[in-house]
Amino acid sequence: MSQFIVDGNNCLKGNVSISGSKNSALPIITSTILFKCPVEISNIPDMGDVRILIQIMKDIGVKVDQLSPDTFRFDASGDIESDLSKIKGVSTIRGSQTLLGAILGRNHEVILPVLGGCPIGARPMDIHFQGMKKLGAVIENKGNRKYFKAKKLQGTHVYLDYSSVGATENLILTAMSAEGITIIENAAQEPEVVDLVYLLNQAGARISGIGSSTLQIIGKSALKRIKFSVMPDRIETGTFMLCAVMTKGKIQIEDCCVQDMSSLLFKLRDIGVKVEIRGQSSLLVEMDKRSSSFNIRTMPFPGFPTDLQSPMLSLACLAGGTSIISETVYENRFNVVPELRKMGANIMTNDKIATITGVEKMFGAEVQCPDLRGGISLVLAALAADGKSYIHRASVVDRGYQFIEKKLQRLNASIVRVEDENGYIR
Ligand code: EPU
């Protein structure tokens, strides 16, 4: 384990380039299982969860060649393993969830262990399973594994009880191999789902309703060899926007997708931040005063993203006035609150609502990352705080941020990573 040591109170200035999106790269990588020919994917971010998934792909029988630091060729023309309970890493990341849809489509059977991911809620997969059943899968529980078998996959009409990102992606992938037409209603509209559909359609799939809540998939399209570039990470984009705000700095964010940032962009402008749009892929974010307080409620896209809720919580800790943050997506996304309190934050939580009374200053403290987005919110708080912070379990942040301390150092942040020999004892 490693820790970040951050010396705060620096104004962050300069340019930063946004990496490819974790939550788009993960399903895109698993989708290559549906191809009987090589697929070249670029802009794949080098981060913990992606590395684990690439190793899983190799272990299930996909030939993976790294062509450049961010470009990989996936060739799934050989046999693909269906028993995921035998494969190391599958149960440690949530990003392995779409292996289910892709392998069920390809092999008509899958053995699935219980999946992991950040400890932010129970994260059941009932909506995925209901959809798979409608497509023709029979599911049996044996111990902590689920056995999926489908003699025939048949196009169907499903309504998702919740517009789950993973369930939408999984059902798209399975429906690709089904006979006839599948319609998914109340589908997730997240840009990452759209990116997956772009890739599949570029390869010859026939999916319509892109970006809407009703998707129509015509199954059994032959997929041809393509090259595809993963979309920019909108959560990393938002994180750097908030770095500028919290440190009263000025950051030009490049290689992002401005269109995906509306909910944050409007909120930041409301609280006094200067955000200049410089074309479709660049933003200049500048702040020279304390921000005003604000209210947010996390929602599926185009609502405010839950993955930016923890970084916004850090901002609220320093805003002038009282902010209210309602988390509607996950049950345990306030695990970072006790850590922020150690840095001087004034936060009260009641179930999924946090009431934050902003303080003038936070101070450096010894804290630990509870989960990926909670971890980055501690880094943000430490950058703005007076004094030194020691942030343990730094590798949790690496699951979803590429070269985070290097990018921050280039913006004038004082942050180093050191080995954490003793770990952290509460
Ligand atoms: N849910 C169910 N049943 C289901 C599926 C989901 O109850 O069958 C619930 C979940 O428990 C959760 C909510 O619905 O409370 C949203 O889950 P969703 O399926 O939409 O999310 P996901 O596919 O598991 C992806 C991202 C998350 C991101 C969410 C929402 C990946 C690998 N993960 O998760 O990313 O928060 O969509 O946008 O794509 C992160 O990057 O830190 C992260 C957690």
Side-chain angles (χ1 to χ4, degrees):
M1 272 289 177
S2 53
Q3 63 170 304
F4 290 129
I5 302 180
V6 181
D7 209 350
N9 225 353
N10 267 347
C11 172
L12 266 56
K13 287 207 157 110
N15 293 19
V16 66
S17 166
I18 297 303
S19 302
S21 156
K22 165 176 87 75
N23 290 343
S24 169
L26 295 167
I28 277 180
I29 290 171
T30 61
S31 77
T32 63
I33 292 168
L34 294 174
F35 288 69
K36 292 276 172 64
C37 55
V39 190
E40 211 175 290
I41 313 288
S42 58
N43 208 26
I44 292 186
D46 183 8
M47 42 180 80
D49 283 15
V50 175
R51 281 189 206 168
I52 293 174
L53 184 64
I54 289 175
Q55 186 56 49
I56 292 171
M57 294 292 282
K58 291 178 184 168
D59 293 345
I60 62 173
V62 179
K63 191 169 175 293
V64 183
D65 294 306
Q66 184 164 11
L67 308 178
S68 77
D70 75 348
T71 304
F72 290 77
R73 186 170 49 222
F74 298 90
D75 181 353
S77 54
D79 287 346
I80 299 298
E81 175 63 57
S82 297
D83 184 354
L84 294 174
S85 68
K86 295 203 296 214
I87 308 292
K88 198 170 156 238
V90 170
S91 52
T92 61
I93 56 167
R94 184 60 35 170
S96 54
Q97 64 186 354
T98 47
L99 288 166
L100 169 61
I103 300 180
L104 186 64
R106 167 85 184 242
N107 292 353
H108 286 214
E109 60 176 11
V110 177
I111 301 176
L112 188 74
V114 176
L115 302 185
C118 279
I120 49 182
R123 307 184 82 173
M125 291 181 69
D126 53 315
I127 301 166
H128 305 233
F129 302 155
Q130 277 161 18
M132 304 270 165
K133 279 187 194 159
K134 285 208 86 176
L135 280 159
V138 174
I139 310 176
E140 243 187 284
N141 294 316
K142 288 190 192 162
N144 56 1
R145 292 173 200 165
K146 283 196 183 299
Y147 288 65
F148 296 76
K149 265 207 161 81
K151 273 199 190 117
K152 184 182 176 205
L153 290 165
Q154 179 64 51
T156 187
H157 196 148
V158 284
Y159 176 89
L160 308 187
D161 287 339
Y162 180 87
S163 57
S164 152
V165 173
T168 304
E169 293 167 345
N170 248 335
L171 295 176
I172 292 172
L173 293 177
T174 309
M176 289 282 300
S177 305
E179 205 67 62
I181 297 175
T182 299
I183 295 171
I184 307 176
E185 286 197 53
N186 199 25
Q189 299 169 55
E190 267 67 4
E192 293 77 14
V193 176
V194 172
D195 214 29
L196 173 67
V197 173
Y198 278 154
L199 167 124
L200 293 169
N201 276 354
Q202 191 183 316
R206 286 163 295 166
I207 306 174
S208 54
I210 302 181
S212 79
S213 62
T214 304
L215 293 172
Q216 177 179 293
I217 302 119
I218 303 178
K220 299 261 180 205
S221 303
L223 297 179
K224 61 175 192 281
R225 195 175 177 140
I226 49 156
K227 291 183 180 180
F228 189 82
S229 179
V230 171
M231 63 176 268
D233 196 304
R234 63 193 170 104
I235 307 305
E236 189 197 14
T237 306
T239 302
F240 281 105
M241 291 170 80
L242 290 170
C243 275
V245 180
M246 289 189 63
T247 66
K248 301 198 181 80
K250 183 174 178 179
I251 300 180
Q252 163 124 350
I253 298 168
E254 281 155 10
D255 306 315
C256 64
C257 178
V258 172
Q259 197 190 312
D260 293 343
M261 301 310 302
S262 296
S263 59
L264 179 65
L265 202 145
F266 278 90
K267 187 57 66 178
L268 292 184
R269 281 184 172 156
D270 279 353
I271 60 174
V273 182
K274 277 192 225 156
V275 186
E276 197 185 304
I277 298 174
R278 299 187 155 184
Q280 290 175 354
S281 59
S282 178
L283 286 168
L284 180 69
V285 184
E286 188 176 5
M287 189 62 166
D288 54 9
K289 56 178 191 279
R290 188 180 186 192
S291 79
S292 332
S293 57
F294 55 86
N295 298 340
I296 54 167
R297 185 180 172 80
T298 63
M299 305 274 273
F301 191 84
F304 197 92
T306 172
D307 293 343
L308 281 174
Q309 184 262 99
S310 306
M312 286 299 273
L313 184 62
S314 286
L315 174 61
C317 292
L318 290 169
T322 299
S323 302
I324 296 177
I325 297 185
S326 313
E327 171 61 51
T328 74
V329 181
Y330 293 108
E331 310 88 273
N332 299 328
R333 266 240 148 125
F334 290 136
N335 286 339
V336 71
V337 166
E339 305 303 308
L340 288 170
R341 284 195 189 122
K342 290 177 194 163
M343 303 179 76
N346 182 352
I347 309 171
M348 303 239 294
T349 55
N350 183 357
D351 193 19
K352 292 203 264 178
I353 297 180
T355 306
I356 310 105
T357 306
V359 293
E360 288 272 351
K361 262 288 163 198
M362 287 165 84
F363 43 85
E366 189 160 5
V367 290
Q368 75 173 338
C369 303
D371 54 64
L372 163 59
R373 307 302 173 189
I376 199 70
S377 77
L378 292 173
V379 172
L380 288 177
L383 289 169
D386 268 344
K388 261 192 184 160
S389 294
Y390 302 85
I391 306 176
H392 299 271
R393 299 182 75 226
S395 55
V396 174
V397 174
D398 301 331
R399 293 183 68 157
Y401 289 87
Q402 170 166 289
F403 314 136
I404 185 68
E405 75 271 29
K406 294 202 174 68
K407 288 189 180 186
L408 288 169
Q409 282 159 1
R410 272 185 236 126
L411 294 170
N412 192 36
S414 167
I415 175 168
V416 288
R417 181 192 295 262
V418 297
E419 271 318 297
D420 197 0
E421 281 161 17
N422 304 320
Y424 179 50
I425 301 150
R426 275 174 190 276

